[in-house]
Amino acid sequence: MSRVVVLGGNGEMGGAVTDVLRGRGHDVLPVSRATGVDAVTGAGLDGALSRADTVVDCLNHLTLSRRAAVSFFGGAAARVADAAGRTGVAHVVCLSIVNAADDGVRRVMGYYEGKAAQEEAYTAGAVPVTLARTTAWFSLAETFLRQVRVGPVAFVPGMRLRPVHPAAAAAFLADAVEAGPRTGHGADVWQLAGPEEHDAAAMARALAGARHPGVKVVRLPLPVAALREGLLPRGEVEVDDRRFADWLAGA
Ligand SMILES: NC(=O)c1ccc[n+]([C@@H]2O[C@H](COP(=O)([O-])OP(=O)(O)OC[C@H]3O[C@@H](n4cnc5c(N)ncnc54)[C@H](OP(=O)(O)O)[C@@H]3O)[C@@H](O)[C@H]2O)c1
């Protein structure tokens, strides 16, 4: 049994991994600004981390601004890494995105530059880190329907993805906690993807058809290859075989 602090513990994935870890018998403390812990300013961080063997970072700040993303993700990760070193935390698991740190991808979208800064800050920190990268979750289709919206019309980029079931992402993070830190130099990198390629706009259209009748999806073709296909996984990646269509049907 480990003592685990989940940063962003009331968010979508923070809540899901908290449930999975508790189900596996771990002692889990979910924290966020709602519980008095601010990873950006550092308020409450040392107190929360002083009871932890492992920290799972599920923080998020949705922004398209490069500067805001780097300041949030890079700044919070540097603070958390420092606090983890001071308080004797043995392992940090950072939830990240497959390919976000690739040059071509981070250059064209500010949010990914933030995720890259987060990975770099943890990798430079004193506490061993596992970068647990997943592809987009099926539930991201809900975000696509909300993000760029004019009345009933949602504009969604024509981006190719290999999305994965959110429950698989939560189990993957819990597996990374239980595996513990890798001995040796540098970050341990884990990657998870789903079984099939999908177009983001087609996912959003399917979700609208199933759950949001009246919402119309307009696909925005992307001229930049790094955006169009840059998030497709390459190299070593674990695959969960649950399909988007089954998730959509509620299976
Ligand atoms: N969606 C995907 O497909 C996908 C795929 C791969 C990786 N990811 C990564 O997964 C991570 C989590 O995403 P999510 O959708 O689960 O997030 P979310 O639901 O938006 O939750 C974000 C969490 O961060 C907390 N938070 C924000 N600012 C904070 C601060 N200054 N200090 C402490 N807590 C703070 C929020 O709680 P309070 O408001 O109470 O502070 C909340 O608990 C993100 O880093 C994202 O890049 C997402």
Side-chain angles (χ1 to χ4, degrees):
M1 199 260 307
S2 308
R3 293 169 309 165
V4 185
V5 166
V6 177
L7 299 170
N10 62 350
E12 178 182 352
M13 194 48 61
V17 72
T18 294
D19 291 346
V20 173
L21 286 166
R22 283 182 173 155
R24 295 186 189 182
H26 299 287
D27 174 6
V28 186
L29 179 66
V31 300
S32 74
R33 289 170 300 180
T35 68
V37 176
D38 190 322
V40 173
T41 65
L45 207 48
D46 280 25
L49 266 48
S50 62
R51 65 179 297 285
D53 307 309
T54 307
V55 171
V56 182
D57 181 338
C58 292
L59 297 169
N60 198 18
H61 175 57
L62 267 186
T63 177
L64 296 176
S65 152
R66 182 173 306 272
R67 191 196 291 183
V70 169
S71 160
F72 176 82
F73 285 109
R79 275 209 191 275
V80 172
D82 277 355
R86 266 195 310 276
T87 55
V89 168
H91 184 207
V92 174
V93 174
C94 169
L95 170 56
S96 195
I97 303 174
V98 167
N99 296 355
D102 282 11
D103 280 347
V105 172
R106 63 193 284 184
R107 211 179 314 121
V108 289
M109 204 187 269
Y111 181 81
Y112 297 120
E113 191 78 71
K115 295 298 291 181
Q118 180 188 42
E119 291 195 359
E120 284 163 4
Y122 279 126
T123 302
V127 175
V129 63
T130 300
L131 303 175
R133 300 171 175 160
T134 81
T135 54
W137 314 324
F138 297 157
S139 48
L140 193 65
E142 289 281 1
T143 308
F144 291 148
L145 287 183
R146 285 194 308 266
Q147 217 164 21
V148 186
R149 183 79 176 257
V150 181
V153 181
F155 295 88
V156 182
M159 217 164 35
R160 287 168 67 204
L161 302 171
R162 268 258 307 274
V164 68
H165 199 297
F172 175 73
L173 283 173
D175 291 347
V177 168
E178 290 182 330
R182 185 177 71 171
T183 49
H185 202 61
D188 195 6
V189 178
W190 289 29
Q191 304 206 100
L192 175 73
E196 305 167 329
E197 267 186 47
H198 286 278
D199 175 84
M203 287 171 71
R205 201 168 283 139
L207 181 68
R211 298 190 195 161
H212 305 278
V215 178
K216 184 174 157 28
V217 172
V218 172
R219 181 177 189 275
L220 299 175
L222 294 174
V224 183
L227 269 182
R228 217 169 35 235
E229 25 199 80
L231 295 180
L232 289 175
R234 299 180 292 276
E236 203 176 317
V237 61
E238 183 181 324
V239 176
D240 181 85
D241 61 8
R242 281 169 278 189
R243 298 168 57 243
F244 178 64
D246 296 330
W247 174 83
L248 204 53

